[in-house]
Amino acid sequence: MDSAAQLETIAARWQGSFHNRRQVAATLARGGPVAPELTRELRTMEVERLQAPHLGEVVLYFQEFRASAPQLAHRQRVVVLGVDPLRGAVRAEQLFFRGGPTYDRPALDAAWVQTLGPEAFDRHPGCDLFFVAEPALDRFRARMDPGACRYRHPQDGEVCADFEMLLHPDQLWYRDRSLRLADGSVRGEVDGFSWLLFDRADRSDGIGPDGALDADLPALVRQQGVWRGRFRRYDAEGGLLETFPSTITIRVFQEGGRWRYHQSSLHGPEDAPLRRLEAQGEIHSGRVWFTSERYQGWAMDLPGEDPAAGSLLVMRARDPADPDVHEIISCSADGRRRWRVSQLLKDGQLVGRTTIDEEKLSGG
C-alpha cells in the first residue's frame, strides 16, 4: 500500500465513535486494589472528518470525554493528515485550540469548528504523529519523534510529551504521559502510561452518531422503566417462605453534569400494606453506585457479554443484623422481561434466596 492509500485508510479507521467499556469492565471484574495502571473510568471518543480545505485536504476533529466530567472534552484536537515527502510516511499534524486550558475544555460542535481559520490554533511541529504500517497485525502505529514534543509549563518548567497510538480496523489504542526534563520525573500520565483500549461503537452498543455518553452507560440503566413482577423468598435449604407481587420503577437523569439513578420499589404480602423502598445513586466508571435506607452497593454489567445481557449487583447491609445481598439480573433479548436471583449472606453463610420474575410495563 502506497503512502496515499495509507492516508485514506488511516483517515477511515480513525473516524467514528469509540468507547473503553470492555476494558473498564475487565478491570472491575478483576477486583483487587485500585492500581494506576488499570483504567476504571469510562471514556468515549468521537472522531469526525471536517470539510475544512483552508486547514488541509484531510482534516479530522476528535473529542474525548470522561464519565467523571461528561460535560467537558478531556482531549480536544484538530488533526491534519498528509504525506511527509521526506519520510514517505503519513504525518498527523496536531492543531491545538488557542486560548483556554489544554485539557477539559467545553465541548464544541464540529460544524462550527470547521469554520475556524488557522489563526484559531497553535502548532507545535514536534508534537505531530508519524504513522508506520504493521501489516502482519493489520494495524498502524503512530507516535511522536522521541523527545521532540517539548513545551514550557508554568510550574514544572521544560516538559516533554510522549504519545503513542495503535489503529486497528475496529479498535484504537493510545497511551500518553509527560516528563519534567529537569529531572526526568513524571509530570502527568494517563493510567500509569499503560494502554487505553477503545472499541469502535455501533448501534448494538446503543451509542448514537453524536457519541453521547448516555448511550454507553451500564446495562442496569437501559432497564429504566416500570417493572411488574413477583417475589419468591426461600430459606437456605430451598423451602418456599412467601410469595408476593412487586412494582419497581427505575429512572435515570442528568443533574449537575452527572448521571443520577433512582429506583422506587413497592412490594409486600397481598394481605398487608405495601412497603416502599427508595434507592438513590450515581453512575460513573462503568457502574451504578447506590444507597438506600437499608443497603449501599453497586451494579455492573455481566462481564464477557457485548452488549451486556444483564447485571451483577452487590449490596452491603447498613445494619449488621441484616444480610448482605448478591444478585444477578438476566434480561430477554427484547428488553421486555428480566429474571433476578438474589443470595442473602450473613457472617459468611447462606441464609436465604429470592427469585423475581418481571415484565416491563412502560419506559425504556
Side-chain angles (χ1 to χ4, degrees):
M1 188 184 300
D2 61 26
S3 298
Q6 286 188 9
L7 188 153
E8 287 300 329
T9 301
I10 291 167
R13 289 188 179 185
W14 205 343
Q15 295 172 68
S17 299
F18 300 87
H19 62 79
N20 71 332
R21 188 171 75 189
R22 187 159 57 107
Q23 188 182 44
V24 169
T27 299
L28 296 177
R30 171 184 177 273
V34 175
E37 296 80 13
L38 298 173
T39 182
R40 304 171 76 91
E41 182 175 33
L42 178 69
R43 295 173 183 245
T44 60
M45 185 187 304
E46 180 71 17
V47 186
E48 302 177 68
R49 186 163 180 170
L50 304 182
Q51 300 302 315
H54 52 288
L55 297 178
E57 183 177 349
V58 179
V59 182
L60 303 180
Y61 168 55
F62 71 82
Q63 298 188 98
E64 179 186 323
F65 297 88
R66 299 182 301 170
S68 60
Q71 75 280 12
L72 297 174
H74 178 60
R75 296 171 67 237
Q76 188 182 64
R77 302 279 191 279
V78 170
V79 177
V80 180
L81 295 178
V83 176
D84 187 295
L86 297 179
R87 301 193 184 198
V90 175
R91 180 177 191 149
E93 181 186 10
Q94 295 200 77
L95 305 185
F96 299 84
F97 286 89
R98 184 169 293 173
T102 304
Y103 294 93
D104 295 322
R105 299 172 54 87
L108 299 175
D109 184 72
W112 181 78
V113 171
Q114 70 182 9
T115 67
L116 299 177
E119 69 282 355
F121 304 97
D122 287 326
R123 286 178 161 84
H124 301 285
C127 301
D128 294 346
L129 304 175
F130 293 90
F131 285 85
V132 175
E134 297 182 344
L137 299 172
D138 192 18
R139 72 186 185 190
F140 293 90
R141 183 185 296 270
R143 64 174 303 177
M144 301 167 177
D145 285 338
C149 185
R150 300 189 178 195
Y151 57 94
R152 177 160 291 278
H153 190 272
Q155 284 79 43
D156 295 322
E158 195 74 12
V159 171
C160 179
D162 189 358
F163 181 91
E164 192 169 2
M165 183 171 75
L166 300 173
L167 193 57
H168 296 252
D170 294 308
Q171 293 179 353
L172 185 156
W173 300 61
Y174 84 78
R175 58 181 182 172
D176 188 16
R177 70 174 176 179
S178 60
L179 305 174
R180 300 179 184 90
L181 291 181
D183 58 7
S185 61
V186 174
R187 191 194 74 82
E189 58 188 356
V190 176
D191 294 325
F193 199 48
S194 58
W195 291 96
L196 290 182
L197 164 60
F198 289 81
D199 291 306
R200 184 180 299 280
D202 56 30
R203 290 295 181 176
S204 66
D205 293 299
I207 298 179
D210 60 353
L213 282 171
D214 58 339
D216 196 30
L217 296 170
L220 187 61
V221 172
R222 296 193 293 277
Q223 297 166 31
Q224 64 178 314
V226 180
W227 295 86
R228 180 178 58 196
R230 179 162 291 274
F231 276 61
R232 295 178 179 86
R233 297 196 188 279
Y234 300 86
D235 61 24
E237 287 70 40
L240 181 63
L241 299 176
E242 61 179 342
T243 178
F244 52 84
S246 66
T247 301
I248 293 177
T249 303
I250 297 174
R251 189 167 68 95
V252 176
F253 58 97
Q254 276 191 304
E255 183 179 77
R258 294 182 176 272
W259 285 103
R260 308 292 183 180
Y261 178 89
H262 176 249
Q263 178 173 311
S264 178
S265 304
L266 281 173
H267 57 73
E270 296 182 356
D271 58 351
L274 289 177
R275 297 193 297 267
R276 178 185 293 272
L277 299 176
E278 304 285 342
Q280 307 281 347
E282 188 171 304
I283 305 161
H284 62 81
S285 304
R287 294 193 187 192
V288 179
W289 308 85
F290 56 84
T291 61
S292 68
E293 184 178 342
R294 294 181 60 194
Y295 289 97
Q296 60 183 10
W298 51 263
M300 62 173 282
D301 291 353
L302 289 175
E305 300 289 335
D306 191 17
S311 305
L312 168 67
L313 286 76
V314 174
M315 292 173 273
R316 303 296 184 190
R318 292 178 175 273
D319 187 337
D322 289 335
D324 293 337
V325 180
H326 295 176
E327 180 175 312
I328 290 180
I329 302 176
S330 302
C331 296
S332 63
D334 62 6
R336 308 306 301 177
R337 296 179 182 276
R338 65 178 191 171
W339 305 275
R340 302 159 55 194
V341 179
S342 300
Q343 300 204 112
L344 284 66
L345 306 168
K346 186 177 179 182
D347 299 326
Q349 300 293 322
L350 177 72
V351 297
R353 292 186 176 92
T354 301
T355 65
I356 310 103
D357 303 331
E358 296 173 304
E359 179 181 5
K360 180 176 279 191
L361 299 181
S362 64

